[in-house]
């Protein structure tokens, strides 16, 4: 089975994060997308999302790279739910940090699949109650 | 903060499941929604989803009721990602089975919020590799 197009897009987005190509990265998001920066902190819309990624890169002293592990894409109506292992590699830790992420994509008639909800914390958000 | 409308809809849907009102239940889904029946098994579209709920009810000898625990709704663009504890109460177990579910809703201009992806297994799908 060929890879779902949103997995290809996520790989391209991960590359943009790793190379700090944040303008390119914004092309993967819907205009009014949301990013869970950390439990309790949301960035809404491209300007805030870009600002959050710039701050994250700075926090990790530009050593962050992101790679994918196992993934499922569940497509229904014009949306897709992605369940994915996301590995965060940073200079200060020997092993990558692995999260079980959840992403929502929506198919736009002209722009194709765009990320509308980027929640790398997955269901672990429930632990932050 | 008032409850997000999709949480109200999920409560109504849970009541429909518990009372086996499956035609009412289908009103909560987009026409081409998908339901993860179990890891590796997908029901696509209302006829298959309804059939799956009928089979699930039969499997539990009509003793299944569903209630909600903690929940987060992350709304972006015209979609919403719901992260939720779902409690499944069945006659044969003293304690409910709790899952960390993930649901995707999409806002339809005429019909309001509709469920497009119903994945009660959440990120546990990654354990079924």
């Amino acid at each position: 089975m060929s890879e779902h197009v949103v997995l290809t897009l996520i790989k391209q987005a991960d590359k943009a994060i790793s190379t700090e190509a944040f303008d390119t990265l914004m092309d993967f998001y819907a205009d009014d997308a949301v990013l869970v920066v950390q439990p309790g902190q949301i960035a809404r819309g491209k300007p805030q999302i870009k600002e959050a990624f710039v701050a994250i890169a700075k926090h990790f002293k530009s050593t962050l790279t992101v790679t994918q592990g196992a993934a499922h894409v569940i497509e229904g109506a014009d949306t897709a739910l992605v369940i994915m292992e996301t590995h965060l590699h940073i200079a200060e830790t020997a092993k990558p940090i692995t999260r079980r992420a959840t992403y929502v994509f929506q198919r736009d008639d002209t722009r194709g699949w765009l990320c509308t909800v980027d929640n790398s914390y997955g269901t672990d958000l429930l632990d932050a109650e």
Side-chain angles (χ1 to χ4, degrees), chain A residues 22 31 50 76:
Chain A
F22 298 124
D31 290 342
K50 185 178 167 185

Side-chain angles (χ1 to χ4, degrees), chain A residues 25-78:
Chain A
L25 181 61
M26 288 310 105
D27 292 341
F28 297 96
Y29 289 93
D31 290 342
D32 43 359
V34 294
L35 166 73
V36 180
V37 182
Q38 56 185 337
Q41 190 190 350
I42 294 279
R44 187 175 299 278
K46 290 189 182 193
Q48 282 188 17
I49 293 173
K50 185 178 167 185
E51 196 179 317
F53 275 110
V54 168
I56 291 165
K58 193 175 172 187
H59 177 76
F60 291 118
K61 301 183 175 66
S62 297
T63 67
L64 176 67
T65 60
V66 183
T67 58
Q68 299 181 2
H72 287 273
V73 181
I74 311 163
E75 185 182 334
D78 284 325

Side-chain angles (χ1 to χ4, degrees), chain A residues 70-111:
Chain A
H72 287 273
V73 181
I74 311 163
E75 185 182 334
D78 284 325
T79 68
L81 171 64
V82 182
I83 305 285
M84 175 180 279
E85 286 179 337
T86 296
H87 306 303
L88 307 178
H89 310 259
I90 47 178
E92 62 199 48
T93 61
K95 281 190 178 179
I97 299 162
T98 296
R99 292 188 189 151
R100 289 181 154 200
T102 48
Y103 308 121
V104 177
F105 282 73
Q106 189 171 35
R107 187 165 24 207
D108 180 275
D109 283 344
T110 52
R111 294 176 59 204

Side-chain angles (χ1 to χ4, degrees), chain A residues 9-10 12-13 16 24-30 105 113-115:
Chain A
L9 292 173
I10 294 170
Q12 292 168 353
T24 302
L25 181 61
M26 288 310 105
D27 292 341
F28 297 96
Y29 289 93
F105 282 73
W113 288 98
L114 295 172
C115 183

